[in-house]
Amino acid sequence: MSSGSRINSGADDAAGLAIADGLQANITALTQSARNAHDGVGKLQVADGALSQVTSLLNRAVTLATESSNGTVSDSQRTAIQAEYSSILAEINRIGSTTTYNGTTIFQNQGDATGASTNLTSTTTVGGIGGFGTGTGAGLTTGSTLLTSGSPAGLTLTVNGNLVYTAGATDTVQNLITAVNGTNQYTATLSGGHLVVSAIGNTTAPTVAGTLTTDANTAIGTFAGTAGTAKAITVPSADTTRTVTVTDNGGLTVQQLITNTGNANQGFSAELVNGALVVTDTQSTQSPTVAGSATTGGVLGGFSTSTGAAQTAIYLSDSTTAGSSPINIGIGAISATSITNGSGSNPINLSTTLLSTQAAAQTALSSINQAIQNVASTRGTLGAGINRLQSASNVITNQVQNLTTAEDGIRAADIPSTVANLTKFSILEQTGIAALAQANQAQQLVLSLIK
């Protein structure tokens, strides 16, 4: 009664104590996660407010560029216009470098923000069944055509003008091979990581054409390669204490690479963004270093590394592995030399633009307009991130309420029942004492009669 708890030590209810303590850990982590989400919303709102001012400055720059482009403006007047334009660029630089939240700069150059990403762009194929083009390879048998990487579109395979295959959304290279072999006119095999199509009973190479669709269910590389052809992607963190290596011994798909990267539980995540694979280190302020290798077919998937969009990682957790994940939101870079869009790409450099001549002003106008579009794209990304964090916070609040109720049901004492039992035993105790008192009184009466 004094503690209000049914379980005050492990001896009271060992199993109940274990469950209640586990729920308490969930509640504590979720409560902090809700605060994390609120802090994330605050940071994004600060960024959005700063970008609103950048938009106003760029709109003024549009006015100045349009004015300077007009033939009625003299060179001396354009000098004054250029001076104001230079001030606008200086202010954009200041906003990008001094806007902070909790002591940290919000608009950082790509790769410098917490949860920074490394963007892998493929020189061959990232998704889909594979890129198809025509060509012959050295060492191929007579009547064979080697398929090489082509450009993204929607995948079909045509041999000698006849459509022999149309890819399904989740088809792999093996589905393609099976379809070609099923024609009974052609055979398809993988050789050295490439697909080779041969005409049965014909020494003339078939004419093969096809197109590519982007899909994570495709084998990595130009094609899957054969079993035993080891390919690996290694992602070390900037602090050198964490690393992930995903190895393909034949047939590993992009989606499996994404899943395996996250399942390693080393703080890395991977996703496909506009056909490119983006690897993010959620526990570091630097971009992860990504490298690929293959015994045949060149670097894994033909990947080359480039820096991706700066990310702010909001970490939400219920203290379990299954219930923990970051929400990564790209903020991008803001400076006169680089105004990126919401995905951290298509940077616009306004530092080289001038309004001091009519021709230069007309050229600058296009760049300024694109910069405004990039800022709008970033603000859209921030708005979507704010909505997502607020939704996550609402879900977490609901979780906390229900987990608290569940924990109280296990740990807390049943006060009405406890009070009733206390009253019951108190009455029994008082009744027993009264009975003993009555018995003692009877003995005294007997003794008094004897006297």
Side-chain angles (χ1 to χ4, degrees), residues 2-319:
S2 61
S3 68
S5 296
R6 182 179 69 86
I7 305 174
N8 294 297
S9 69
D12 295 333
D13 184 353
L17 179 64
I19 296 173
D21 284 350
L23 291 173
Q24 181 59 46
N26 295 154
I27 293 167
T28 302
L30 287 170
T31 300
Q32 182 58 51
S33 292
R35 296 192 191 104
N36 289 353
H38 292 153
D39 290 343
V41 169
K43 180 175 182 178
L44 297 183
Q45 287 176 335
V46 170
D48 184 63
L51 289 177
S52 175
Q53 186 58 39
V54 171
T55 299
S56 298
L57 291 169
L58 290 174
N59 281 327
R60 176 57 182 167
V62 167
T63 299
L64 295 175
T66 304
E67 182 179 9
S68 182
S69 297
N70 194 20
T72 62
V73 178
S74 65
D75 290 341
S76 60
Q77 291 170 330
R78 288 194 178 94
T79 300
I81 292 173
Q82 176 62 43
E84 183 178 352
Y85 181 60
S86 297
S87 296
I88 289 173
L89 297 183
E91 179 59 16
I92 291 175
N93 276 330
R94 192 195 67 80
I95 291 173
S97 61
T98 64
T99 303
T100 62
Y101 182 84
N102 194 29
T104 59
T105 303
I106 292 179
F107 301 108
Q108 304 199 27
N109 292 330
Q110 295 173 322
D112 292 337
T114 299
S117 303
T118 294
N119 184 11
L120 306 182
T121 56
S122 176
T123 56
T124 54
T125 289
V126 175
I129 299 300
F132 292 91
T134 59
T136 57
L140 295 176
T141 59
T142 302
S144 298
T145 295
L146 175 67
L147 301 183
T148 58
S149 178
S151 59
L155 179 66
T156 58
L157 179 66
T158 303
V159 181
N160 288 345
N162 298 314
L163 178 65
V164 298
Y165 181 68
T166 300
T170 61
D171 283 2
T172 64
V173 174
Q174 186 56 54
N175 296 117
L176 171 59
I177 294 173
T178 301
V180 173
N181 291 338
T183 63
N184 295 321
Q185 297 179 345
Y186 308 100
T187 60
T189 58
L190 285 173
S191 176
H194 298 280
L195 186 68
V196 177
V197 178
S198 302
I200 297 176
N202 194 332
T203 58
T204 303
T207 301
V208 182
T211 54
L212 169 71
T213 183
T214 299
D215 186 338
N217 291 297
T218 254
I220 297 170
T222 306
F223 287 99
T226 54
T229 302
K231 305 174 183 177
I233 180 170
T234 301
V235 185
S237 66
D239 56 23
T240 70
T241 60
R242 294 172 292 111
T243 186
V244 170
T245 299
V246 180
T247 302
D248 173 23
N249 287 317
L252 186 75
T253 67
V254 174
Q255 186 56 57
Q256 289 169 329
L257 184 150
I258 291 172
T259 301
N260 293 349
T261 300
N263 287 347
N265 294 322
Q266 292 295 317
F268 299 99
S269 64
E271 61 181 333
L272 277 177
V273 179
N274 297 325
L277 185 68
V278 177
V279 178
T280 301
D281 185 350
T282 62
Q283 299 180 16
S284 173
T285 59
Q286 300 295 324
S287 295
T289 302
V290 182
S293 62
T295 54
T296 61
V299 176
L300 177 66
F303 290 131
S304 58
T305 59
S306 63
T307 303
Q311 302 273 329
T312 290
I314 307 301
Y315 194 73
L316 308 179
S317 173
D318 66 355
S319 78

